[in-house]
Amino acid sequence: IRTGGGAGQSASAWIPAAHHGLPTYLRCVTGLLKFASGPVDLVASSWAGFIAAPFASQPRGVRRLVLNDTVLESGPLYDRILAMVMDDATHSFADLQEMAAYLKGSRASLASLDDDELIDYARRRAIWVEGKLRVAYDPSLAESLASAVGRNVGVASFLPKVRGETLLTYGAESWFKDEAILDRAQHVRTGAHR
């Protein structure tokens, strides 16, 4: 099973803020696993790692867990990401060029993209709402996330309970990577390597 990143970023129907949370997400993944014919390899990027790690820590037939660019513990980095999502949810744009300029200005990692790449990036994250473009975050997700700022949340505490093999991957310039947290995560898993 492969899960995408981007909290609340999808073309699916948005749900009320009260339903955003781990219990709802775990029920969704559990429903998908009903169709699996045996143990699964669970691959999750970014926000989806917050769902995949707790799910893989349960005895549900997860053979391998791969987390790509997933924040492992709460703290300043986690709060910065939540703030970005909440800020994104407040903006609307007249066109893709305006949205692309906003995204480039708010994400240093996009500085190297040329104009065509930047427009493509914006197009894949855009949704029309009431005649305006928005970053395709479910607005009620931002409302739900606001309550998580400053709280102790994260996936590192679930890693020792994952029964299958676990692989954590990060790009060389990933702003989700925290070496100290990765070192701690390695030491809680028997036979873990870096």
Side-chain angles (χ1 to χ4, degrees):
I1 297 173
R2 182 179 65 86
T3 60
Q9 283 188 322
S10 74
S12 61
W14 289 342
I15 62 175
H19 296 290
H20 278 291
L22 196 55
T24 299
Y25 304 149
L26 291 176
R27 282 193 303 274
C28 292
V29 177
T30 300
L32 287 173
L33 272 185
K34 290 180 181 177
F35 297 98
S37 59
V40 298
D41 297 334
L42 190 56
V43 180
S45 292
S46 188
W47 178 259
F50 281 89
I51 303 162
F55 184 84
S57 72
Q58 304 298 315
R60 301 179 195 249
V62 175
R63 179 178 45 211
R64 292 182 194 97
L65 172 64
V66 178
L67 300 179
N68 175 60
D69 259 2
T70 298
V71 176
L72 296 180
E73 291 180 4
S74 57
L77 173 61
Y78 180 79
D79 288 347
R80 190 175 102 208
I81 293 165
L82 291 181
M84 183 185 73
V85 170
M86 291 183 296
D87 186 55
D88 283 353
T90 66
H91 288 79
S92 60
F93 311 94
D95 55 35
L96 276 174
Q97 288 75 18
E98 185 181 337
M99 183 176 166
Y102 164 78
L103 291 171
K104 188 171 187 172
S106 65
R107 291 157 171 79
S109 61
L110 302 181
S112 65
L113 297 183
D114 66 34
D115 290 344
D116 290 338
E117 292 168 326
L118 191 58
I119 292 295
D120 184 56
Y121 180 88
R123 182 179 296 111
R124 289 181 282 121
R125 281 152 185 79
I127 189 167
W128 285 98
V129 177
E130 299 174 359
K132 294 265 189 180
L133 278 176
R134 296 180 62 126
V135 179
Y137 291 117
D138 181 337
S140 66
L141 175 67
E143 180 183 327
S144 174
L145 290 177
S147 67
V149 173
R151 287 181 38 216
N152 185 18
V153 295
V155 301
S157 63
F158 293 99
L159 295 179
K161 302 171 193 163
V162 174
R163 292 190 169 102
E165 297 175 47
T166 302
L167 174 65
L168 306 175
T169 65
Y170 295 88
E173 297 179 24
S174 170
W175 56 293
F176 294 102
K177 181 171 57 176
D178 183 314
E179 293 293 337
I181 294 170
L182 289 171
D183 284 341
R184 285 194 302 276
Q186 176 182 349
H187 293 298
V188 298
R189 290 292 308 256
T190 303
H193 302 283
R194 275 203 63 196

